[in-house]
Amino acid sequence: MIRPSKLVTAPIAFITRLRLALMRHEELTSVMAWAALIGFLGAITSVLFRDAIHLFEFLLTGKSGNLVQVASSLTRWERVVIPCAGGCLAGLALYFGAKFLPGQRAVDYMEAIVVGNGSIQARPTLIRSLSSLCSIASGGSIGREGPMVQLAGLVGSKIGKFLGVPVPRLRLMVACGASAGITAAYNAPIAGALFVAEIVMGSIAMESFGPLLVSAVTANVTIHHFLGFNSVFQAPQFQFFSNWELLFYAILGAILGHLAPPFLALLAASKKQFATLRWPTYIVMAVAGILVGGLSVFVPQVWGNGYSTVSEILNGQLVGWIVLAILLTKVLSTAISVGSGAVGGVFTPTLFVGASVGALVGTVLHFLLPHVTAPGSAYALVGMGGFLAATTHAPLMSILMIFEMTLDYNVVLPLMLACVTAHYTAKVYRRGRSIYQDSLEPEREHKQSDPQEWHLQSISALIKPCAAVVHRGITLQQVLNTLPKRAVDVIYVVNEDEELVAWVNPHRLMNDVKTGKVSTIAEIDAVAAPVPLSLQEGMSLGAALDMFLRSDALTLPVTSGEWHTILVGQVSRHDLLLAVQDQIASKTGATHTG
């Protein structure tokens, strides 16, 4: 027998659950609608960036069209001067951008999604996009997909901030923008959504993957149906001769897996080598332009991201020693462009390397076994996916990317085998890491002798000496005289007991002194600001990360305790992110070394 109380409470509970379900349905519907809008605007942004590249290309070279064709039509000295000028302009954009926007930095969309609060500032991002335009349009060997994805992510961030959504929803909106950017660049909506889910977010749960798909599909429809853009690569019908040929595709995957770690190591070594130069950014990038231009004197195919050259390889128009020469010079020019700090993506150059290696392996096999193996162009197509899987450690995304580009089912079996083989071969190398991990994580200044020592529980091992510490009461002229020659992010002000009392933005200080807003005889206390957030010795990584998420600072001070504010040192955002990532890797059983 049902009690009277249940006759009352049961309908109320049912109505409550129904109301919550309807609210959740409305919420999900709202998310999908905003994801579609972000996909549309992200696609428009990508098209505008692509058109801006053509405009800058015409301004720098006096010609328009395919960059390789443009380079081939130029004289030898023009092939050197134009990349040099473009590199110098790209460096000047970054140099003066840092001067005019003190304290602001361009938050990468991956950082905004994974560990940030989803906020991407517009002006630093636009400055970096302008720099990228100069590099790409002048023949820099770097992909245009990086800035396209970043700008689309900016669109998602701005829409989310305008709506005032909470941080988790804001991160998802940035991810929707990134998904739209990848789709607009490669005509691969499923792979674009999976790229963000698998590589960036690390989850394919439908709560997040669904909006990514909606954004990607909207971007794809906008680009190819409304605006009429064609596919990026025009590949012929894939030829698959026999089941025995699968063995050769597995061998190709193993070769690509062994080549991926050296390729990533070359990019890292180039960055490290250019970082040793104490020259201004615009000089470094101009020198890189000269080096790339010098290579283009002999091999004009090094100009640009390699779209046109990959299409020629896929259609069998480039074979043999020519492909080998282009491959070697293209890898070198890409390392130079990336190492110099040029803003752009490495996704397309990665596809280029895979296509070239695949074409070389396929040509040799077809020469030895013409009745058993397909032409080299078939291996080039599979090689693109295999090398992408080896460098990103995302084989499923790589398979879908190539399949969506070709829409040819015959390529699926060889592609699956090569991608999986390449992925697991590259994973054998302890230092063979994802190309996007390397782009997010800067070099550690102090590596531990035992890799397990980096799996930290607190910030204690991350604390470094403060770069600039001054005592209250001294004049601004004394402060400027004591600043180190290298750039510093913040000046800490302490009292006679070495307790932290304030801090100063050095970029804003020097700008105010130059413009006459403050006098050099004024005391530091006149321009110092209270420290809103500080870390404490022994604080956990999670608590410290929460502090950084509440601040835009690149570094935060560390004091001896919550009530004892003696300045101990400082912790950088990058070092903390590395430690958090290592903690996650150690708990999931992943191998991680410095």
Side-chain angles (χ1 to χ4, degrees):
M1 181 176 180
I2 301 178
R3 296 180 181 178
S5 59
K6 288 192 174 182
L7 292 174
V8 177
T9 59
I12 295 177
F14 173 77
I15 293 173
T16 302
R17 287 196 297 269
L18 179 61
R19 183 169 176 264
L20 291 174
L22 290 174
M23 291 176 61
R24 177 173 175 79
H25 176 73
E26 292 176 359
E27 182 181 359
L28 291 175
T29 303
S30 174
V31 170
M32 295 302 179
W34 289 116
L37 177 62
I38 292 170
F40 173 75
L41 295 179
I44 297 298
T45 304
S46 299
V47 171
L48 292 176
F49 185 81
R50 189 182 305 178
D51 291 341
I53 291 176
H54 296 315
L55 175 61
F56 273 60
E57 177 188 343
F58 181 78
L59 294 176
L60 290 170
T61 66
K63 304 176 185 294
S64 60
N66 187 309
L67 271 173
V68 174
Q69 294 177 352
V70 170
S72 301
S73 66
L74 298 174
T75 62
R76 293 189 173 184
W77 69 269
E78 287 176 325
R79 295 185 199 177
V80 177
V81 171
I82 291 174
C84 174
C88 183
L89 291 174
L92 287 171
L94 296 177
Y95 180 80
F96 286 107
K99 292 284 186 182
F100 294 144
L101 301 175
Q104 298 186 33
R105 68 185 186 95
V107 177
D108 186 83
Y109 73 95
M110 289 190 180
E111 180 184 347
I113 296 170
V114 179
V115 293
N117 58 5
S119 177
I120 300 178
Q121 294 182 322
R123 284 184 287 182
T125 297
L126 294 176
I127 289 294
R128 288 180 63 82
S129 298
L130 175 63
S131 174
S132 180
L133 283 174
C134 296
S135 296
I136 296 171
S138 61
S141 182
I142 200 163
R144 67 190 182 192
E145 74 282 348
M148 292 169 67
V149 177
Q150 181 70 19
L151 288 170
L154 173 64
V155 169
S157 178
K158 289 303 178 183
I159 290 177
K161 294 185 73 173
F162 174 78
L163 296 174
V165 300
V167 169
R169 183 70 54 79
L170 186 59
R171 291 172 178 164
L172 180 58
M173 287 187 166
V174 175
C176 288
S179 176
I182 289 290
T183 301
Y186 294 104
N187 187 31
I190 301 177
L194 194 61
F195 171 88
V196 178
E198 187 178 12
I199 295 178
V200 182
M201 303 180 72
S203 171
I204 55 173
M206 281 308 298
E207 285 78 4
S208 57
F209 192 53
L212 298 181
L213 282 174
V214 170
S215 180
V217 169
T218 306
N220 185 264
V221 171
T222 302
I223 288 287
H224 298 286
H225 294 277
F226 292 161
L227 301 180
F229 284 87
N230 296 322
S231 300
V232 177
F233 301 113
Q234 300 296 329
Q237 186 74 21
F238 184 81
Q239 301 180 42
F240 184 43
F241 279 25
S242 68
N243 293 330
W244 291 103
E245 197 176 4
L246 290 174
L247 174 63
F248 297 121
Y249 286 111
I251 294 174
L252 173 61
I255 294 173
L256 294 169
H258 285 297
L259 292 177
F263 175 72
L264 299 182
L266 176 63
L267 297 183
S270 178
K271 292 179 183 178
K272 186 175 181 179
Q273 192 62 37
F274 274 101
T276 60
L277 302 176
R278 301 301 179 185
W279 304 336
T281 305
Y282 51 87
I283 299 296
V284 173
M285 297 182 72
V287 170
I290 293 175
L291 295 176
V292 173
L295 292 173
S296 71
V297 169
F298 306 98
V299 184
Q301 286 84 357
V302 303
W303 271 39
N305 52 24
Y307 278 148
S308 59
T309 307
V310 170
S311 295
E312 291 180 349
I313 292 174
L314 293 177
N315 287 278
Q317 299 171 359
L318 295 175
V319 294
W321 294 106
I322 298 177
V323 175
L324 179 60
I326 295 174
L327 172 62
L328 296 177
T329 51
K330 185 67 176 177
V331 168
L332 182 58
S333 62
T334 300
I336 292 171
S337 296
V338 172
S340 67
V343 181
V346 291
F347 201 99
T348 307
T350 299
L351 294 175
F352 176 90
V353 174
S356 301
V357 174
L360 291 172
V361 172
T363 300
V364 172
L365 290 173
H366 190 65
F367 176 78
L368 297 175
L369 302 168
H371 301 294
V372 180
T373 59
S377 57
Y379 286 82
L381 188 62
V382 174
M384 292 170 63
F387 200 65
L388 187 62
T391 54
T392 62
H393 296 311
L396 181 57
M397 181 276 298
S398 304
I399 294 168
L400 288 173
M401 176 71 72
I402 304 303
F403 174 69
E404 287 189 284
M405 287 182 182
T406 62
L407 295 178
D408 189 346
Y409 184 77
N410 292 326
V411 76
V412 172
L413 288 180
L415 186 61
M416 291 173 63
L417 188 59
C419 288
V420 172
T421 305
H423 165 68
Y424 281 108
T425 302
K427 291 286 283 185
V428 170
Y429 293 84
R430 296 188 65 190
R431 295 177 181 270
R433 309 181 63 203
S434 165
I435 197 170
Y436 291 103
Q437 283 177 309
D438 288 338
S439 66
L440 279 174
E441 299 178 3
E443 292 290 329
R444 295 177 184 164
E445 296 180 3
H446 305 286
K447 296 181 180 180
Q448 306 292 334
S449 58
D450 181 4
Q452 298 299 324
E453 291 179 7
W454 191 257
H455 292 159
L456 304 171
Q457 298 294 333
S458 70
I459 65 170
S460 300
L462 303 178
I463 300 174
K464 296 179 180 179
C466 297
V469 181
V470 299
H471 285 81
R472 63 187 316 174
I474 68 173
T475 64
L476 296 183
Q477 186 62 55
Q478 292 174 309
V479 173
L480 296 176
N481 292 338
T482 57
L483 283 180
K485 294 183 179 180
R486 62 186 180 89
V488 296
D489 298 317
V490 63
I491 303 172
Y492 298 106
V493 182
V494 298
N495 59 18
E496 58 274 12
D497 297 323
E498 303 300 324
E499 294 179 330
L500 178 65
V501 294
W503 62 1
V504 178
N505 186 320
H507 306 288
R508 190 170 299 165
L509 171 62
M510 288 186 283
N511 184 62
D512 290 344
V513 170
K514 288 181 181 179
T515 57
K517 292 183 178 179
V518 294
S519 172
T520 55
I521 62 175
E523 293 184 353
I524 188 67
D525 304 70
V527 295
V531 182
L533 296 172
S534 64
L535 310 178
Q536 287 83 46
E537 280 186 303
M539 177 178 282
S540 68
L541 296 181
L545 181 60
D546 181 65
M547 290 286 192
F548 271 102
L549 293 179
R550 291 154 56 188
S551 169
D552 290 329
L554 297 175
T555 59
L556 283 178
V558 181
T559 59
S560 55
E562 187 173 358
W563 306 109
H564 305 283
T565 57
I566 297 176
L567 183 62
V568 176
Q570 64 182 14
V571 170
S572 73
R573 176 192 293 262
H574 285 309
D575 286 347
L576 179 63
L577 296 182
L578 284 171
V580 171
Q581 246 182 356
D582 279 342
Q583 271 289 309
I584 296 173
S586 64
K587 290 181 179 179
T588 56
T591 302
H592 181 75
T593 61

